[in-house]
């Protein structure tokens, strides 16, 4: 008799169970999803880089030692020959060189992830399709910012100072990040269509030429007359001139506009090949 009486009670409990609320989630292609997934991918890459000794050396120690080498070997000679403190050319130059070198290391990491099939696994997951590329570019921007701040700290130890106020100093620090973003788009596009060794050879040659033929190494008037126009208007020189003007003295508006032109041009020319190549690499890995 007691068993028969317990059945309706159990049935009543089952029939009054409250359904769980349905939580609306953004679609995979929503802008909020893109932003959130890009930040996650950025964090993933930053953690990977922070755990790699060679990346740390490339990001911090190599630029710092290069700056000190220029100061010890050439600093006083350049200052005496040109009448301009060499540190206001070498500090901006080293931040830009570090931005370009780091972009190459990042591109090689992209090739490793493709070979390991990691990009393909991301492609099969509910992740925004553009988040992998934008997260990589965002991580590049953070890396360049950290490198720039570290180089400036070393530069302050050897005489570098900010003379034009807070906003000019902030703009000077942002210049390598802007420059590095444009260069990273170019490198990413090349990484999707070339092999790792070829990529290093091509970009290594370009970096070397830009490093030794710019207005940060020596002023433009120290170069042969037939080369001065090329040196003055190449992207590193325009960025260095703008950074020198923001931190110390010299023109700002003209070199800044030229730098923006170089960056916008690189993004316009290489953004679509980078996006298409990244997607093709993810689908084929």
């Amino acid at each position: 008799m007691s068993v028969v009486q317990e059945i309706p009670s159990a049935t009543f409990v089952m029939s009054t169970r409250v359904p769980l609320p349905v939580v609306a989630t953004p679609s995979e292609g929503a802008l909020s999803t893109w932003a959130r997934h890009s930040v996650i991918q950025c964090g993933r890459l930053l953690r990977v880089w922070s755990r790699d000794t060679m990346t740390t050396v490339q990001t911090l120690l190599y630029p710092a030692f290069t700056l000190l080498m220029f100061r010890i070997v050439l600093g006083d000679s350049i200052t005496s020959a040109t009448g301009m403190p060499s540190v206001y050319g070498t500090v901006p130059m080293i931040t830009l060189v570090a931005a370009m070198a780091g972009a190459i290391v990042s591109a090689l990491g992209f090739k490793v992830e493709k070979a390991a099939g990691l990009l393909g696994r991301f492609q099969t997951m509910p992740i925004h399709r553009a988040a992998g590329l934008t997260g990589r570019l965002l991580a590049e921007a953070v890396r360049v910012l950290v490198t720039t701040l570290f180089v400036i700290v070393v530069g302050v130890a050897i005489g570098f100072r900010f003379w034009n106020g807070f906003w000019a100093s902030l703009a000077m620090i942002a210049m390598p990040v802007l420059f590095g973003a444009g260069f990273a788009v170019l490198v990413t596009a090349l990484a999707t269509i070339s092999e790792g060794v070829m990529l290093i050879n091509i970009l290594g040659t370009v970096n070397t030429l830009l490093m030794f033929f710019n207005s940060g190494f020596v002023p433009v008037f120290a170069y042969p007359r037939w080369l001065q126009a090329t040196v003055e208007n190449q992207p590193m020189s325009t960025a260095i001139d703008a950074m020198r003007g923001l931190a110390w003295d010299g023109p700002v508006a003209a070199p800044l506009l030229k730098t923006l032109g170089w960056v916008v041009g690189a993004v316009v020319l290489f953004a679509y090949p980078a996006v298409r190549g990244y997607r093709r690499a993810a689908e084929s890995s």
Side-chain angles (χ1 to χ4, degrees), residues 124-148:
T124 62
M125 298 172 66
I127 299 175
H128 195 286
R129 293 294 177 261
L133 179 58
T134 54
R136 184 171 294 276
L137 295 178
L138 184 59
E140 273 294 303
V142 174
R143 182 194 59 77
V144 173
L145 178 60
V146 171
T147 302
T148 299

Side-chain angles (χ1 to χ4, degrees), residues 162-171 246-247:
F162 291 103
W163 295 101
N164 296 318
F166 174 77
W167 294 110
S169 304
L170 193 63
L246 290 167

Side-chain angles (χ1 to χ4, degrees), residues 255-271:
L256 178 59
L257 290 175
K258 290 178 183 179
T259 304
L260 290 174
W262 278 110
V263 172
V264 171
V267 172
V268 170
L269 289 176
F270 294 101

Side-chain angles (χ1 to χ4, degrees), residues 2-285:
S2 60
V3 175
V4 175
Q5 289 177 348
E6 289 177 0
I7 293 176
S9 176
T11 305
F12 175 77
V13 172
M14 294 293 292
S15 64
T16 58
R17 182 174 297 171
V18 179
L20 295 175
V22 178
V23 179
T25 57
S27 65
E28 184 180 325
L31 289 177
S32 60
T33 303
W34 180 20
R36 187 173 68 256
H37 289 179
S38 296
V39 171
I40 293 173
Q41 290 281 11
C42 171
R44 176 186 70 84
L45 287 170
L46 292 176
R47 285 191 294 272
V48 171
W49 295 344
S50 66
R51 295 166 184 167
D52 183 68
T53 303
M54 289 306 300
T55 302
T56 303
V57 170
Q58 186 74 35
T59 301
L60 299 178
L61 299 183
Y62 176 74
F65 282 128
T66 304
L67 177 60
L68 293 175
M69 181 191 69
F70 273 107
R71 176 66 182 87
I72 294 171
V73 177
L74 297 173
D76 293 336
S77 300
I78 294 175
T79 300
S80 300
T82 63
M84 301 169 60
S86 63
V87 70
Y88 292 100
T90 52
V91 168
M93 180 182 69
I94 295 302
T95 61
L96 300 180
V97 170
M100 294 189 296
I104 298 175
V105 174
S106 175
L108 294 178
F110 162 79
K111 305 290 284 188
V112 171
E113 290 184 353
K114 176 187 174 183
L118 183 59
L119 297 182
R121 288 196 291 273
F122 285 150
Q123 193 73 5
T124 62
M125 298 172 66
I127 299 175
H128 195 286
R129 293 294 177 261
L133 179 58
T134 54
R136 184 171 294 276
L137 295 178
L138 184 59
E140 273 294 303
V142 174
R143 182 194 59 77
V144 173
L145 178 60
V146 171
T147 302
T148 299
L149 293 175
F150 190 78
V151 170
I152 289 175
V153 169
V154 177
V156 169
I158 60 175
F160 183 86
R161 297 292 186 273
F162 291 103
W163 295 101
N164 296 318
F166 174 77
W167 294 110
S169 304
L170 193 63
M172 185 267 184
I173 294 172
M175 285 294 295
V177 179
L178 177 67
F179 183 91
F183 190 77
V185 173
L186 183 153
V187 171
T188 301
L190 294 179
T192 62
I193 61 175
S194 64
E195 296 298 328
V197 175
M198 183 183 298
L199 181 69
I200 293 177
N201 291 336
I202 293 174
L203 294 178
T205 302
V206 171
N207 285 3
T208 301
L209 291 174
L210 292 179
M211 179 175 177
F212 287 101
F213 293 94
N214 65 71
S215 59
F217 191 68
V218 293
V220 173
F221 63 77
Y223 290 93
R225 187 176 299 274
W226 59 270
L227 191 59
Q228 289 181 8
T230 301
V231 173
E232 181 180 4
N233 293 288
Q234 64 109 323
M236 274 193 68
S237 291
T238 61
I240 290 169
D241 290 343
M243 293 171 72
R244 182 191 286 116
L246 290 167
W248 179 57
D249 189 24
V252 174
L256 178 59
L257 290 175
K258 290 178 183 179
T259 304
L260 290 174
W262 278 110
V263 172
V264 171
V267 172
V268 170
L269 289 176
F270 294 101
Y272 178 72
V275 171
R276 186 174 181 180
Y278 194 94
R279 182 178 300 174
R280 185 170 57 248
E283 292 174 349
S284 62
S285 63

